[in-house]
Amino acid sequence: MKNIDEKILMAEEGIKQLQNKRKKLISQQKQEERKKRDKRIYEKGAVFESIFTESKNLTKDEFYQLIRPLIRKEEANIKIQKIIESREVTEVENTGKEDEETDIEE
């Protein structure tokens, strides 16, 4: 009976270790996603500032006052969707070319 109790305790300890490892990996994944998001935001903000150099001195509220009238949200979303679809078509075409090149090499 004692042997079984020890095995149970060892199994429970193993479970705790795996749960802690899972939490650590999830935290790591969230941190990586946050870094990617931050980089994307910084890059896009830098592009905006490079085009509209005077915008560097605007507050957040002033920035929104500037940007809202310039953007028609529905039109922008349609354009974004077209860009994404175009990218997907290009990726499919490139994948097809890579497959053809692989067939030729073999």
Side-chain angles (χ1 to χ4, degrees):
M1 187 70 169
K2 195 173 189 181
N3 193 15
I4 294 174
D5 288 338
E6 288 175 7
K7 287 181 180 180
I8 291 171
L9 287 174
M10 288 175 54
E12 287 174 351
E13 183 62 34
I15 290 169
K16 287 180 186 177
Q17 289 176 354
L18 289 173
Q19 287 173 335
N20 288 335
K21 186 175 182 179
R22 181 180 182 273
K23 287 178 186 178
K24 185 177 178 181
L25 290 171
I26 289 171
S27 175
Q28 216 173 7
Q29 183 181 36
K30 286 180 181 179
Q31 186 177 10
E32 288 174 11
E33 289 171 359
R34 200 174 313 116
K35 284 182 181 179
K36 287 179 184 177
R37 178 183 177 272
D38 289 349
K39 181 180 180 195
R40 187 179 67 245
I41 289 170
Y42 293 144
E43 287 174 347
K44 290 179 182 179
V47 168
F48 185 89
E49 282 189 356
S50 71
I51 295 169
F52 303 101
T53 54
E54 298 300 318
S55 70
K56 292 176 186 177
N57 300 321
L58 296 179
T59 65
K60 181 180 172 183
D61 290 336
E62 292 167 337
F63 176 80
Y64 278 107
Q65 288 175 8
L66 167 70
I67 206 76
R68 278 199 177 111
L70 299 177
I71 295 177
R72 293 182 181 86
K73 189 173 179 179
E74 293 80 20
E75 290 176 25
N77 284 332
I78 291 169
K79 180 67 176 174
I80 290 168
Q81 191 60 39
K82 286 181 181 178
I83 291 169
I84 291 170
E85 289 170 1
S86 172
R87 180 192 320 144
E88 290 170 354
V89 168
T90 303
E91 288 173 354
V92 168
E93 289 172 353
N94 288 340
T95 302
K97 289 178 185 176
E98 289 173 5
D99 291 344
E100 289 175 12
E101 290 174 3
T102 303
D103 292 342
I104 293 170
E105 290 174 2
E106 293 173 352

